[in-house]
Amino acid sequence: MRKQRLGQVAVAGLAGAALLLTGCAGSGGSEGGEGGGDVEVFTWWTSGGEAAGLEGLADTFSQQCEGQTFVNAAIAGGTGSNAKQVLASRMQQNDPPSTFQMHAGAEAADYIKAGQVQDLSEYYSDWGLDDAFPQGLLDALTVDGKIYSVPVNIHRIVLWGNASVLADAGITSAPATVDEFISNLETLRANGIESPIAVGVDWTQTELLESVLLSELGVEDFTALWQKDGDWKDSRVTDALEDYKKILSYSNPDRDSLDWTDAEKRLVAGQSAYQLMGDWEVAEFETDGFTDFTHQAFPGTEDAYQWISDSFVLPVGAKNEEGALCWLETVGSAEGQKAFNTKKGSIPARTDADPADYPEYQQEAIADFASLTPAPSCANGSGCTLGQVSAINSAVGKFSTDGDVDSLQKAIGDATAQYGTD
Ligand code: GAL
């Protein structure tokens, strides 16, 4: 496996020849045309910090793309649990939106290989993006030398805590190992916090599981695990799954019916002390007015930046292509990224942002991203394909009920052998 630092800045130009000279000039398209029109933006950012980020981006779009109208086609459900199904059926019926959100990495390659998204390489030089993003991130968006989307951010998976609940149980420092973390969970329970870790539906469980795996295996072996030939029989994997089972036993029993935002509300209300979640969580805290939180990398993963990157594409057959291209130009612009990321909890994909423009959490994250080793998230599509994530989520959801480690290990190994990356 080739190791790539995600944080390396792109130096080579992507576009061979600059074909189009104006930023918003589309290559044809259906509705909209010269006079503008509706730009249907398909995401899963419907509420709280996610909606706030989208709104910031939409405002910048309105300023930068005169005559074009933002149409919000967001469908609720964390990490696109519902949106992706709707999108797949719309694509099948040749009814794509003007643009949609997807993840850099294995998920991006899925859409590219399926021929569902258009090559944007030529626009990168028109929009001044050739040197704007880290090379490792561009590589995660590129297939056969062509780039098919514009990244808006980089998220990280983080362990969040309710500071007062932890302090009340006498926990004042960050656990450094999984064992110490499990012992904290026990202490919290003994102090009356019956479900000290807040967990939601299957994909949030997959996120937690992969953090335990990252802790046990380290970045290189963890990353290799999601590839077709990943060694799911490794005894360290079994150990990690056993630890995951223990951790899950300290979670809320209604986990399978809660989205990540419902689990976050448990943390905010002090019903739970911890939640493992992407740093869109900090944006949700912001909209909830909650400031009493702690954050740390999951124990044992301190050298890693477990990343996810949201990117926007131009689908084949997009409605109002000219308007969609203008949206993509906004997504890649310094103004658009600032408007979005200051509200979304993520750091900008662009490397020229001024950290001083960002809230405290993102300032730390920008510095961490520059110094840590990238590890892709499976649950959020950077390390795993769409089919793989879906099969793994089913296995993890089943495990939530039966707790059978052997069958979980086998099911994820089978899903990876079938759908994993080469
Ligand atoms: C991820 C996405 C994040 C956030 C999260 C929860 O897939 O990358 O931006 O939206 O889902 O919905």
Side-chain angles (χ1 to χ4, degrees):
M1 193 205 86
R2 191 162 60 105
K3 259 191 98 180
Q4 173 82 59
R5 287 200 68 80
L6 199 71
Q8 281 168 357
V9 176
V11 283
L14 279 159
L19 299 177
L20 287 177
L21 295 175
T22 56
C24 290
S27 52
S30 36
E31 296 145 36
E34 298 279 310
D38 288 350
V39 178
E40 194 192 11
V41 178
F42 189 95
T43 72
W44 51 84
W45 297 327
T46 57
S47 65
E50 306 202 310
L54 182 60
E55 200 184 309
L57 195 53
D59 286 349
T60 313
F61 169 72
S62 305
Q63 289 155 23
Q64 292 185 347
C65 302
E66 214 179 304
Q68 303 290 353
T69 307
F70 169 80
V71 176
N72 191 348
I75 292 182
T79 210
S81 45
N82 305 316
K84 282 180 188 162
Q85 288 167 31
V86 175
L87 180 66
S89 94
R90 284 188 58 172
M91 301 289 269
Q92 212 172 19
Q93 292 158 29
N94 291 323
D95 177 32
S98 306
T99 183
F100 65 84
Q101 158 197 9
M102 58 139 202
H103 294 120
E107 187 179 308
D110 269 351
Y111 288 111
I112 297 168
K113 287 183 195 145
Q116 292 173 319
V117 292
Q118 300 191 43
D119 175 14
L120 297 174
S121 308
E122 69 191 63
Y123 298 104
Y124 262 63
S125 51
D126 299 341
W127 297 339
L129 297 182
D130 285 345
D131 300 332
F133 305 121
Q135 185 62 49
L137 177 57
L138 287 178
D139 288 347
L141 291 163
T142 303
V143 168
D144 293 337
K146 294 179 184 154
I147 182 141
Y148 293 78
S149 70
V150 181
V152 68
N153 67 355
I154 297 167
H155 271 300
R156 183 184 188 184
I157 295 182
V158 173
L159 181 64
W160 305 94
N162 180 314
S164 298
V165 174
L166 291 169
D168 287 350
I171 299 166
T172 50
S173 61
T177 61
V178 170
D179 284 349
E180 206 182 307
F181 179 55
I182 292 172
S183 128
N184 284 358
L185 294 172
E186 185 52 41
T187 304
L188 285 154
R189 184 169 275 174
N191 275 269
I193 307 293
E194 187 49 37
S195 306
I197 179 162
V199 173
V201 284
D202 53 10
W203 69 267
T204 77
Q205 297 166 26
T206 303
E207 237 179 52
L208 178 59
L209 169 65
E210 71 178 37
S211 296
V212 183
L213 284 163
L214 177 60
S215 178
E216 178 74 33
L217 297 178
V219 173
E220 200 163 336
D221 290 355
F222 168 83
T223 307
L225 198 59
W226 307 108
Q227 295 171 335
K228 252 192 177 49
D229 57 0
D231 181 9
W232 276 86
K233 297 202 170 91
D234 189 327
S235 63
R236 293 173 304 161
V237 171
T238 317
D239 293 346
L241 298 189
E242 292 289 358
D243 280 343
Y244 167 69
K245 182 174 177 171
K246 263 187 228 148
I247 295 169
L248 204 62
S249 73
Y250 290 97
S251 74
N252 41 298
D254 61 353
R255 56 186 174 258
D256 294 318
S257 62
L258 302 188
D259 203 344
W260 72 274
T261 39
D262 306 312
E264 182 261 356
K265 300 294 175 273
R266 288 189 56 90
L267 187 87
V268 169
Q271 293 168 302
S272 295
Y274 290 113
Q275 186 186 4
L276 190 285
M277 189 44 56
D279 52 14
W280 43 88
E281 178 104 342
V282 79
E284 200 68 15
F285 288 159
E286 171 75 26
T287 59
D288 288 341
F290 179 68
T291 54
D292 189 26
F293 62 87
T294 63
H295 63 89
Q296 66 166 103
F298 187 76
T301 70
E302 292 78 8
D303 60 340
Y305 201 100
Q306 204 178 352
W307 68 275
I308 294 133
S309 172
D310 295 305
S311 305
F312 281 90
V313 295
L314 181 66
V316 170
K319 295 199 191 76
N320 184 6
E321 223 174 86
E322 180 183 325
L325 284 166
C326 206
W327 169 263
L328 295 174
E329 187 175 1
T330 297
V331 164
S333 70
E335 300 76 16
Q337 300 226 335
K338 183 172 152 190
F340 179 77
N341 290 300
T342 47
K343 306 239 174 55
K344 182 71 166 61
S346 37
I347 62 172
R350 293 184 68 104
T351 53
D352 59 0
D354 181 357
D357 289 339
Y358 283 79
E360 203 184 324
Y361 169 77
Q362 281 102 315
Q363 291 188 16
E364 278 177 46
I366 289 170
D368 284 347
F369 181 70
S371 64
L372 300 177
T373 308
S377 163
C378 172
N380 297 280
S382 22
C384 292
T385 65
L386 288 162
Q388 192 179 6
V389 174
S390 159
I392 291 173
N393 284 344
S394 300
V396 166
K398 178 173 166 289
F399 181 78
S400 176
T401 313
D402 68 20
D404 182 342
V405 167
D406 285 351
S407 91
L408 178 64
Q409 189 163 358
K410 183 170 183 323
I412 303 184
D414 289 351
T416 298
Q418 185 174 1
Y419 300 110
T421 47
D422 293 325

Short mmCIF file of all heavy atoms in Angstrom, two decimals, residues 44-45 50 77-81 84 101-103 107 153 155 203 207 259-260 277-278 280 308-311 340 344 346 379-381, ligand 1:
data_model
loop_
_atom_site.label_atom_id
_atom_site.label_comp_id
_atom_site.label_asym_id
_atom_site.label_seq_id
_atom_site.Cartn_x
_atom_site.Cartn_y
_atom_site.Cartn_z
N TRP A 44 -27.06 15.98 3.06
CA TRP A 44 -27.84 15.48 4.21
C TRP A 44 -27.68 16.43 5.40
O TRP A 44 -27.76 16.02 6.54
CB TRP A 44 -27.45 14.05 4.58
CG TRP A 44 -25.99 13.79 4.77
CD1 TRP A 44 -25.27 14.00 5.91
CD2 TRP A 44 -25.08 13.23 3.83
NE1 TRP A 44 -23.97 13.60 5.72
CE2 TRP A 44 -23.82 13.12 4.44
CE3 TRP A 44 -25.20 12.80 2.49
CZ2 TRP A 44 -22.69 12.61 3.80
CZ3 TRP A 44 -24.07 12.30 1.86
CH2 TRP A 44 -22.85 12.21 2.51
N TRP A 45 -27.48 17.68 5.10
CA TRP A 45 -27.26 18.66 6.16
C TRP A 45 -28.55 19.44 6.41
O TRP A 45 -28.80 20.46 5.78
CB TRP A 45 -26.12 19.60 5.75
CG TRP A 45 -24.80 18.88 5.59
CD1 TRP A 45 -24.37 17.80 6.30
CD2 TRP A 45 -23.75 19.19 4.67
NE1 TRP A 45 -23.11 17.43 5.90
CE2 TRP A 45 -22.70 18.26 4.90
CE3 TRP A 45 -23.57 20.17 3.68
CZ2 TRP A 45 -21.51 18.28 4.16
CZ3 TRP A 45 -22.39 20.19 2.96
CH2 TRP A 45 -21.38 19.26 3.22
N GLU A 50 -24.96 21.41 10.96
CA GLU A 50 -24.83 21.02 9.55
C GLU A 50 -25.60 22.00 8.66
O GLU A 50 -25.08 22.47 7.63
CB GLU A 50 -25.36 19.61 9.34
CG GLU A 50 -24.70 18.62 10.28
CD GLU A 50 -24.76 17.19 9.82
OE1 GLU A 50 -25.85 16.71 9.45
OE2 GLU A 50 -23.71 16.56 9.82
N GLY A 77 -30.68 12.59 8.01
CA GLY A 77 -30.11 11.27 8.31
C GLY A 77 -28.59 11.37 8.28
O GLY A 77 -28.02 11.65 7.22
N GLY A 78 -27.96 11.20 9.46
CA GLY A 78 -26.52 11.35 9.57
C GLY A 78 -25.75 10.52 8.56
O GLY A 78 -26.17 9.42 8.20
N THR A 79 -24.66 11.09 8.12
CA THR A 79 -23.78 10.53 7.10
C THR A 79 -24.51 10.02 5.85
O THR A 79 -24.03 9.14 5.13
CB THR A 79 -22.80 9.47 7.68
OG1 THR A 79 -21.61 9.52 6.90
CG2 THR A 79 -23.30 8.06 7.79
N GLY A 80 -25.65 10.63 5.57
CA GLY A 80 -26.36 10.32 4.34
C GLY A 80 -27.09 8.99 4.36
O GLY A 80 -27.39 8.41 3.32
N SER A 81 -27.42 8.51 5.58
CA SER A 81 -28.04 7.19 5.69
C SER A 81 -29.31 7.09 4.83
O SER A 81 -29.56 6.02 4.24
CB SER A 81 -28.34 6.85 7.15
OG SER A 81 -28.92 7.94 7.79
N LYS A 84 -28.37 8.86 0.62
CA LYS A 84 -27.64 8.09 -0.40
C LYS A 84 -28.57 7.14 -1.16
O LYS A 84 -28.38 6.90 -2.35
CB LYS A 84 -26.51 7.30 0.25
CG LYS A 84 -25.30 8.18 0.55
CD LYS A 84 -24.19 7.38 1.19
CE LYS A 84 -23.09 8.29 1.66
NZ LYS A 84 -22.22 7.66 2.65
N GLN A 101 -23.28 16.02 -2.60
CA GLN A 101 -22.19 15.86 -1.64
C GLN A 101 -21.74 14.41 -1.64
O GLN A 101 -22.56 13.51 -1.65
CB GLN A 101 -22.77 16.25 -0.28
CG GLN A 101 -22.07 15.72 0.92
CD GLN A 101 -22.95 15.80 2.17
OE1 GLN A 101 -24.15 16.11 2.10
NE2 GLN A 101 -22.39 15.51 3.31
N MET A 102 -20.45 14.20 -1.61
CA MET A 102 -19.93 12.83 -1.41
C MET A 102 -18.59 12.92 -0.70
O MET A 102 -18.09 14.00 -0.44
CB MET A 102 -19.81 12.10 -2.75
CG MET A 102 -18.91 12.82 -3.69
SD MET A 102 -17.86 11.70 -4.59
CE MET A 102 -16.55 12.80 -5.05
N HIS A 103 -18.03 11.77 -0.36
CA HIS A 103 -16.78 11.75 0.40
C HIS A 103 -15.58 11.44 -0.47
O HIS A 103 -15.63 10.53 -1.29
CB HIS A 103 -16.87 10.68 1.50
CG HIS A 103 -17.89 10.96 2.55
ND1 HIS A 103 -18.95 10.14 2.81
CD2 HIS A 103 -18.00 12.00 3.40
CE1 HIS A 103 -19.68 10.66 3.79
NE2 HIS A 103 -19.12 11.79 4.16
N GLU A 107 -15.25 6.20 -1.56
CA GLU A 107 -16.62 6.53 -2.00
C GLU A 107 -16.58 7.35 -3.30
O GLU A 107 -17.37 7.11 -4.22
CB GLU A 107 -17.34 7.30 -0.89
CG GLU A 107 -18.79 7.55 -1.17
CD GLU A 107 -19.46 8.30 -0.01
OE1 GLU A 107 -19.35 7.87 1.15
OE2 GLU A 107 -20.08 9.34 -0.29
N ASN A 153 -14.05 20.59 2.80
CA ASN A 153 -13.58 20.56 4.20
C ASN A 153 -12.80 19.29 4.52
O ASN A 153 -12.71 18.38 3.69
CB ASN A 153 -14.79 20.61 5.15
CG ASN A 153 -15.65 19.36 5.07
OD1 ASN A 153 -15.43 18.47 4.26
ND2 ASN A 153 -16.64 19.27 5.92
N HIS A 155 -12.98 16.76 7.98
CA HIS A 155 -13.48 16.47 9.33
C HIS A 155 -12.55 15.45 9.99
O HIS A 155 -11.82 14.72 9.31
CB HIS A 155 -14.88 15.85 9.28
CG HIS A 155 -16.00 16.85 9.29
ND1 HIS A 155 -16.19 17.74 10.32
CD2 HIS A 155 -17.03 17.06 8.41
CE1 HIS A 155 -17.27 18.46 10.08
NE2 HIS A 155 -17.80 18.09 8.93
N TRP A 203 -24.24 3.20 11.75
CA TRP A 203 -23.01 3.83 11.24
C TRP A 203 -22.23 4.50 12.37
O TRP A 203 -21.01 4.57 12.31
CB TRP A 203 -23.31 4.81 10.10
CG TRP A 203 -24.04 6.07 10.51
CD1 TRP A 203 -25.38 6.27 10.50
CD2 TRP A 203 -23.45 7.30 10.98
NE1 TRP A 203 -25.67 7.54 10.95
CE2 TRP A 203 -24.51 8.20 11.24
CE3 TRP A 203 -22.15 7.74 11.20
CZ2 TRP A 203 -24.30 9.49 11.71
CZ3 TRP A 203 -21.94 9.03 11.67
CH2 TRP A 203 -23.01 9.89 11.92
N GLU A 207 -18.34 3.74 13.37
CA GLU A 207 -17.32 4.76 13.66
C GLU A 207 -16.57 4.42 14.95
O GLU A 207 -15.34 4.54 15.03
CB GLU A 207 -18.02 6.13 13.84
CG GLU A 207 -17.50 7.19 12.91
CD GLU A 207 -18.23 8.52 13.11
OE1 GLU A 207 -18.34 9.03 14.23
OE2 GLU A 207 -18.71 9.05 12.10
N ASP A 259 -30.32 8.75 15.99
CA ASP A 259 -29.31 9.30 15.07
C ASP A 259 -28.20 9.93 15.92
O ASP A 259 -28.35 10.05 17.15
CB ASP A 259 -29.94 10.33 14.11
CG ASP A 259 -29.10 10.48 12.82
OD1 ASP A 259 -27.93 10.04 12.80
OD2 ASP A 259 -29.62 11.06 11.85
N TRP A 260 -27.13 10.36 15.28
CA TRP A 260 -25.99 10.88 16.05
C TRP A 260 -26.39 12.12 16.84
O TRP A 260 -25.87 12.35 17.94
CB TRP A 260 -24.80 11.17 15.13
CG TRP A 260 -24.97 12.38 14.23
CD1 TRP A 260 -25.56 12.40 13.00
CD2 TRP A 260 -24.54 13.72 14.51
NE1 TRP A 260 -25.54 13.67 12.49
CE2 TRP A 260 -24.91 14.51 13.39
CE3 TRP A 260 -23.89 14.35 15.56
CZ2 TRP A 260 -24.65 15.87 13.31
CZ3 TRP A 260 -23.63 15.71 15.48
CH2 TRP A 260 -24.01 16.46 14.37
N MET A 277 -17.50 10.72 17.90
CA MET A 277 -18.21 11.25 16.73
C MET A 277 -17.30 12.17 15.93
O MET A 277 -16.34 12.73 16.46
CB MET A 277 -19.45 12.03 17.21
CG MET A 277 -20.45 12.48 16.17
SD MET A 277 -20.90 11.28 14.88
CE MET A 277 -21.50 9.85 15.78
N GLY A 278 -17.60 12.33 14.65
CA GLY A 278 -16.88 13.29 13.83
C GLY A 278 -17.02 14.69 14.42
O GLY A 278 -17.95 14.96 15.20
N TRP A 280 -18.19 17.30 13.34
CA TRP A 280 -19.44 18.03 13.12
C TRP A 280 -20.16 18.17 14.47
O TRP A 280 -21.03 19.02 14.63
CB TRP A 280 -20.33 17.33 12.07
CG TRP A 280 -20.42 15.83 12.19
CD1 TRP A 280 -21.31 15.13 12.93
CD2 TRP A 280 -19.59 14.84 11.53
NE1 TRP A 280 -21.09 13.77 12.78
CE2 TRP A 280 -20.05 13.56 11.93
CE3 TRP A 280 -18.52 14.92 10.65
CZ2 TRP A 280 -19.46 12.38 11.48
CZ3 TRP A 280 -17.95 13.73 10.20
CH2 TRP A 280 -18.41 12.49 10.62
N ILE A 308 -12.18 12.63 7.11
CA ILE A 308 -13.34 12.53 6.21
C ILE A 308 -13.35 13.84 5.45
O ILE A 308 -13.10 14.88 6.05
CB ILE A 308 -14.64 12.49 7.01
CG1 ILE A 308 -14.73 11.24 7.84
CG2 ILE A 308 -15.89 12.66 6.16
CD1 ILE A 308 -15.13 11.55 9.25
N SER A 309 -13.63 13.80 4.16
CA SER A 309 -13.70 15.08 3.44
C SER A 309 -14.96 15.13 2.59
O SER A 309 -15.20 14.22 1.79
CB SER A 309 -12.47 15.27 2.57
OG SER A 309 -12.63 16.41 1.75
N ASP A 310 -15.77 16.17 2.78
CA ASP A 310 -16.96 16.36 1.97
C ASP A 310 -16.58 17.09 0.69
O ASP A 310 -15.88 18.11 0.74
CB ASP A 310 -17.99 17.20 2.73
CG ASP A 310 -18.50 16.48 3.97
OD1 ASP A 310 -18.98 15.34 3.84
OD2 ASP A 310 -18.38 17.05 5.08
N SER A 311 -17.07 16.56 -0.43
CA SER A 311 -16.75 17.15 -1.72
C SER A 311 -18.02 17.25 -2.55
O SER A 311 -18.94 16.46 -2.35
CB SER A 311 -15.78 16.26 -2.49
OG SER A 311 -14.64 16.00 -1.73
N PHE A 340 -18.49 28.23 5.32
CA PHE A 340 -18.97 26.89 5.65
C PHE A 340 -18.28 26.33 6.90
O PHE A 340 -18.93 25.95 7.87
CB PHE A 340 -18.70 25.97 4.46
CG PHE A 340 -19.12 24.54 4.65
CD1 PHE A 340 -20.45 24.17 4.56
CD2 PHE A 340 -18.19 23.55 4.92
CE1 PHE A 340 -20.85 22.86 4.75
CE2 PHE A 340 -18.57 22.23 5.10
CZ PHE A 340 -19.90 21.89 5.01
N LYS A 344 -19.27 24.62 10.60
CA LYS A 344 -19.50 23.17 10.45
C LYS A 344 -18.62 22.30 11.35
O LYS A 344 -18.80 21.10 11.45
CB LYS A 344 -19.29 22.81 8.96
CG LYS A 344 -19.51 21.38 8.57
CD LYS A 344 -20.99 21.00 8.61
CE LYS A 344 -21.31 19.70 7.90
NZ LYS A 344 -20.66 18.52 8.44
N SER A 346 -15.55 21.64 10.87
CA SER A 346 -14.45 21.08 10.08
C SER A 346 -13.39 22.15 9.82
O SER A 346 -13.61 23.33 10.08
CB SER A 346 -15.01 20.58 8.74
OG SER A 346 -16.04 21.42 8.26
N ALA A 379 -16.40 4.21 8.05
CA ALA A 379 -17.83 4.50 8.22
C ALA A 379 -18.27 5.68 7.37
O ALA A 379 -19.41 5.75 6.93
CB ALA A 379 -18.12 4.80 9.69
N ASN A 380 -17.36 6.62 7.14
CA ASN A 380 -17.72 7.83 6.40
C ASN A 380 -17.15 7.85 4.99
O ASN A 380 -17.00 8.92 4.40
CB ASN A 380 -17.28 9.05 7.19
CG ASN A 380 -18.02 9.15 8.52
OD1 ASN A 380 -19.15 9.59 8.58
ND2 ASN A 380 -17.39 8.68 9.58
N GLY A 381 -16.76 6.69 4.47
CA GLY A 381 -16.49 6.59 3.04
C GLY A 381 -15.11 6.97 2.56
O GLY A 381 -14.83 6.85 1.37
C1 GAL B 1 -20.59 12.76 7.29
C2 GAL B 1 -20.25 14.07 6.64
C3 GAL B 1 -20.22 15.14 7.64
C4 GAL B 1 -21.48 15.11 8.50
C5 GAL B 1 -21.77 13.73 9.01
C6 GAL B 1 -23.01 13.57 9.87
O1 GAL B 1 -20.73 11.80 6.32
O2 GAL B 1 -18.99 13.96 6.04
O3 GAL B 1 -20.09 16.38 6.98
O4 GAL B 1 -22.50 15.61 7.77
O5 GAL B 1 -21.82 12.85 7.96
O6 GAL B 1 -24.15 13.78 9.16
#
